[in-house]
Amino acid sequence: MSEDDMRHAGTFLTPLVLAPLALLVAGCATQRVAPPPEHAISERALDTSSAAAVDWRQSKPVTAPHAMVVSAQHLATEVGVEILKRGGNAIDAAVAVGYAEAVVHPCCGNIGGGGFMTIHLASGENLFLDFREKAPLKATATIFQDESGNVVKGRSTGTWLGIGTPGTVMGLNEALKRYGTMPLAEVIAPAIELAEKGYVLLPGDVKILDNRTKDFATEPNVAAIFLNDGRPFVAGERLVQRQLGATLRTIAEGGTDAFYRGEPAAAVAAASAAGGGLLTTDDFAKYTVRWDKPVLCDYRGYTVVSAPPSSSGGTTLCEILQTIEGYPLSKWGYASVEGTHHIVEAERRAYADRNTDLGDPAFVRNPVAKLISEEHAEKLRASILPNRATPSSEIKGGVSADEGTNTTHYSVVDKDGNAVAVTYTINYLFGVGKIAGDTGFFLNNEMDDFTSKPGVPNSFGLVQGAANAVAPGKRPLSSMTPTILLKNGKVFMVTGSPGGSTIITTVLQSIINVVDFGMNMQQAVDAPRFHHQWLPDVVMIDPQYLTPEKRAALEAMGHSFRESGPWGADEAILVDPVTGERQGANDRSRPAGLAKGY
């Protein structure tokens, strides 16, 4: 069965004609990968296996005159486009895509996790919705330590203790209620149909499932759904999720309360208690989402609208942008020695501040304004040497007086100029790998994003401080960075990515690839990436990013490198400021994804 045939076999909306994949599935080239340094990002926390091989310099975006949806799974994109064609706005489409991805992108799309939504309304208003998970009310700062104070490996990622109270259902429903135009039952109906009737798996879908098939086999209720009579699914087979369909019907008929005060909450609480976890029905009943003002900063004439705490994303992104704005990146060029050096040095300093200062604003004071100020950027630039890397041991983060993986992102722009950027997560691919009873959805292991112990790295190698310590009802600090760029008050770009601590630098590079290096949206998403997060003191690079000569020059300056397969999955949209044409770009790391508009 061909890719195109499989697409049609998985279609639930008729007479939709599914577009061919923008990127054909291909295996990654065999690459030399250096041994990971101490505290490197866990391979289980960062999917580097699914990227399609492309010549990014020849990449071209999908274009459409009116509206665009880009997501990591083609059927979810189709759902969003259909909602827009029916007259729904970007918020309606974003909620529909969110529920659809919970079915067709179960590694990462979810109703068992949480996330963030950045919104720009055509009226000019910028909004941010925090539906991040919360720690159980019985959680303590030492929950992941043994009696001697040592962090117990795997407790925050593979047990019922690692699960935070899910926020996605309340978040999506709240956004729809406040800014959508369609009823919940209508926008969730496509997801229910996909769950109950199933959808045909593409090679890209199977590649992600294969990451956890051994784990699925250890959980009978998971194996019953995500293994096909005990064996891994293969491309062309149909995945049916009737239990998830029933849970979604419960939500469609009863709304938010049916999930948080009904059978799904009771089932999760019962399974948690049986498995030694802390979640109770009280955690669900007391869960809340939070509307907030997004982080705003300027970069070379563009307004950046991004995620505030409990995300570190917008603050750290703006801190890096404010710092590198003082350098002539366009003159130096993409993947230049000078540009790479100065961006790495800015990242090194911004991540040190991130790991020291930021946390849930309900629990700690976040010095966002100071971190993204021009004064702080000038101070950081003054400490960056033009020809020498600064060892991270010499960088002390923090301006306060007191001291992923997986995730998915999707972007929507409608015909009226409303834009929505959503990044939501269950942390690892398929989260904790557990499903409560017959609820049908994977639960998160988001508690790993807290500081298990100050100074001890989490699964993404982040070494964090007391500001992000576990506390009852607290939201863990996140790197998710759903971002919108405005030009003269109008939407110019919508971008975001999964990838844990690498999210921020992935979003950063999608922005500077367009603004500084003149790439189209697809080139900006496909171009090889690099990442530095203060600790460990190593630059993670796509093997295709640097020539041997440039790498040698940077190593002579004191930079250390570790090669990794392509990471992240930026799903981005660019709006031509002159013609209004929408450019959609699906990341090559999600070959089952799709950019589509009308």
Side-chain angles (χ1 to χ4, degrees), residues 126-183:
N126 297 311
L127 306 156
F128 180 78
L129 179 60
D130 185 339
F131 54 97
R132 181 79 159 141
E133 304 90 336
K134 288 187 178 183
L137 295 172
K138 294 181 180 179
T140 65
T142 58
I143 186 176
F144 302 122
Q145 300 173 26
D146 62 21
E147 295 179 356
S148 300
N150 300 308
V151 174
V152 180
K153 186 176 181 180
R155 185 177 286 182
S156 64
T157 57
T159 76
W160 287 91
L161 290 172
I163 304 169
T165 309
T168 293
V169 171
M170 187 178 291
L172 294 180
N173 293 358
E174 170 68 15
L176 183 71
K177 179 180 178 181
R178 187 170 296 198
Y179 295 105
T181 66
M182 291 181 165

Side-chain angles (χ1 to χ4, degrees), residues 215-268:
D215 295 324
F216 298 161
T218 66
E219 302 280 340
N221 64 336
V222 176
I225 302 169
F226 290 97
L227 294 178
N228 192 352
D229 290 328
R231 62 168 177 79
F233 277 97
V234 298
E237 294 180 335
R238 183 176 292 270
L239 175 61
V240 178
Q241 301 170 75
R242 293 186 183 89
Q243 293 178 343
L244 176 57
T247 298
L248 293 173
R249 282 194 180 277
T250 297
I251 297 167
E253 294 167 1
T256 301
D257 278 354
F259 183 84
Y260 286 89
R261 298 176 182 272
E263 182 55 35
V268 173

Side-chain angles (χ1 to χ4, degrees), residues 6 31 108 126 137 143 163 167 169 206 219 232 251 258 299 335 360 366-367 375 423 494 497 571 580 595:
M6 286 187 276
Q31 298 158 347
C108 316
N126 297 311
L137 295 172
I143 186 176
I163 304 169
V169 171
V206 171
E219 302 280 340
I251 297 167
Y299 183 68
D360 184 347
N366 291 282
E375 292 76 18
T423 312
V494 186
S497 176
E571 309 293 342

Side-chain angles (χ1 to χ4, degrees), residues 168-459:
T168 293
V169 171
M170 187 178 291
L172 294 180
N173 293 358
E174 170 68 15
L176 183 71
K177 179 180 178 181
R178 187 170 296 198
Y179 295 105
T181 66
M182 291 181 165
L184 175 61
E186 185 172 357
V187 299
I188 203 172
I192 293 172
E193 191 165 354
L194 281 165
E196 293 180 342
K197 294 185 178 180
Y199 67 100
V200 173
L201 296 164
L202 295 183
D205 298 315
V206 171
K207 206 162 194 176
I208 295 174
L209 287 169
D210 284 346
N211 281 276
R212 297 292 298 271
T213 52
K214 291 182 180 179
D215 295 324
F216 298 161
T218 66
E219 302 280 340
N221 64 336
V222 176
I225 302 169
F226 290 97
L227 294 178
N228 192 352
D229 290 328
R231 62 168 177 79
F233 277 97
V234 298
E237 294 180 335
R238 183 176 292 270
L239 175 61
V240 178
Q241 301 170 75
R242 293 186 183 89
Q243 293 178 343
L244 176 57
T247 298
L248 293 173
R249 282 194 180 277
T250 297
I251 297 167
E253 294 167 1
T256 301
D257 278 354
F259 183 84
Y260 286 89
R261 298 176 182 272
E263 182 55 35
V268 173
S272 177
L278 300 179
L279 279 174
T280 68
T281 53
D282 201 30
D283 289 301
F284 281 82
K286 292 182 178 179
Y287 180 82
T288 57
V289 298
R290 185 171 61 90
W291 287 98
D292 203 350
K293 294 179 180 179
V295 170
L296 300 177
C297 63
D298 294 323
Y299 183 68
R300 305 198 195 281
Y302 296 88
T303 300
V304 179
V305 184
S306 196
S310 58
S311 173
S312 65
T315 304
T316 309
L317 173 68
C318 280
E319 183 174 345
I320 297 169
L321 287 170
Q322 296 292 90
T323 303
I324 65 175
E325 190 171 21
Y327 302 118
L329 297 186
S330 60
K331 177 183 176 181
W332 288 337
Y334 170 78
S336 65
V337 171
E338 299 90 343
T340 302
H341 167 69
H342 286 85
I343 295 169
V344 165
E345 291 302 299
E347 291 174 354
R348 187 195 308 274
R349 288 156 173 80
Y351 271 86
D353 286 339
R354 175 225 186 262
N355 296 349
T356 304
D357 272 336
L358 300 179
D360 184 347
F363 289 76
V364 300
R365 180 181 174 275
N366 291 282
V368 174
K370 191 168 184 179
L371 287 171
I372 68 173
S373 68
E374 176 56 30
E375 292 76 18
H376 189 55
E378 289 178 356
K379 178 182 176 182
L380 296 183
R381 281 195 295 271
S383 71
I384 295 174
L385 301 174
N387 56 4
R388 185 177 76 84
T390 305
S392 289
S393 59
E394 297 180 10
I395 301 295
K396 306 301 179 187
V399 298
S400 297
D402 301 314
E403 287 308 306
T405 103
N406 223 288
T407 304
T408 187
H409 175 87
Y410 56 94
S411 299
V412 183
V413 175
D414 67 22
K415 61 181 176 58
D416 297 318
N418 300 298
V420 182
V422 178
T423 312
Y424 68 159
T425 183
I426 49 177
N427 201 30
Y428 275 21
L429 289 171
F430 305 97
V432 76
K434 301 179 186 299
I435 292 174
D438 60 1
T439 59
F441 59 89
F442 282 102
L443 291 158
N444 67 83
N445 56 359
E446 212 60 62
M447 294 290 287
D448 185 61
D449 276 3
F450 280 114
T451 303
S452 294
K453 182 179 181 180
V456 177
N458 69 0
S459 294

